[in-house]
Amino acid sequence: MTTTTFRIGGDLSVRRLGFGAMRLPAGPGPARETSLQVARRAVELGVTLIDTAHMYGWGANEELLAEALHPYADGLLIATKVGIVRSEGPEGWRHDARPDALRGQVEDALRRLRVERIELLQLHRIDPRTPLAEQLGALRELQEEGKVGRIGLSEVTVDELARAREIVDVAGVQNRYSLFDREHEPVLAACEAAGIAFLPWRPVAGGAPTAELDAVAAELGATPAQVSLAWLLDRSPVVLPIPGTGRIGHLEENVAAAGLELTPAQRERLDGIDRLPGQA
């Protein structure tokens, strides 16, 4: 039977199926009210891991979650990410993981989330212009000061993870990964071997479902998206999917996926889906 909880860093227990807050509109108006309702409903449904980032609305997403959920329920983990700042360039953002920049973003996150300590702080991207030891050293100092509980990484390779682990204890890795997108399979394997939480973002890849996925969904009386999430939970005990949505109905559908149990035969059939639809 699939385990339902995981201890991040070996001591912080969360339910494995989390919630990604990126898609929650944080601007004024009816959409914001819906976002508040979605965040609150996630906690009502038993979600104990919510993921946000400085980049999501440049702090507005963090403020939204605090408005919706503070004071936080016991056992609720709100993880955030730093290391990306707004830019005038075409992408609208750039790397900035210089120690002073990271410290400033962490201080801002503490204020916005209304907490004294961020239990899981993730480096959103490694800054190619700043030595890795300086980036992670700054996070380690914040950890030593009690402002950060555990350190995580995002979008890293196996080699980058290994280098980072020589500098700090890495509690989590957040990479893109799904049934249809397994580019980071080696990173997942490294995390599993080390007992590191692996938080796949974009856990339900876009594109038309395959006939095999549709068939398994029909057998289970579930949606293809639910089966995709169930496959992730079945894939490894260190996998903590963080599907995101701005709709309560979709949220409830996602959370219900934690109750699905794949048979060995179904798992084997899904394992055989190893590329995005339409790809060679």
Side-chain angles (χ1 to χ4, degrees), residues 9-23:
D11 62 346
L12 184 60
S13 181
V14 296
R15 291 186 66 177
R16 288 180 56 209
L17 187 60
F19 174 70
M22 182 178 70
R23 295 185 183 181

Side-chain angles (χ1 to χ4, degrees), residues 182-280:
R182 307 185 205 174
E183 175 186 348
H184 294 296
E185 193 82 45
V187 181
L188 170 55
C191 287
E192 184 171 5
I196 295 171
F198 184 87
L199 287 66
W201 63 271
R202 199 181 293 165
V204 181
T210 68
E212 201 67 77
L213 177 57
D214 281 343
V216 173
E219 292 167 11
L220 293 171
T223 67
Q226 286 177 316
V227 173
S228 296
L229 289 170
W231 178 84
L232 282 170
L233 292 169
D234 189 78
R235 173 65 186 80
S236 167
V238 307
V239 171
L240 281 60
I242 46 172
T245 179
R247 297 186 292 111
I248 287 180
H250 192 199
L251 167 71
E252 292 173 342
E253 176 186 312
N254 287 342
V255 173
L260 294 179
E261 284 289 338
L262 302 175
T263 67
Q266 289 169 336
R267 181 173 62 249
E268 184 176 354
R269 288 156 59 193
L270 294 172
D271 285 346
I273 302 172
D274 61 357
R275 61 186 184 274
L276 287 166
Q279 288 187 350

Side-chain angles (χ1 to χ4, degrees), residues 23-46:
R23 295 185 183 181
L24 295 180
R32 182 183 181 85
E33 291 304 313
T34 299
S35 295
L36 295 171
Q37 294 170 16
V38 170
R40 291 166 182 154
R41 182 61 177 148
V43 175
E44 289 175 358
L45 292 170

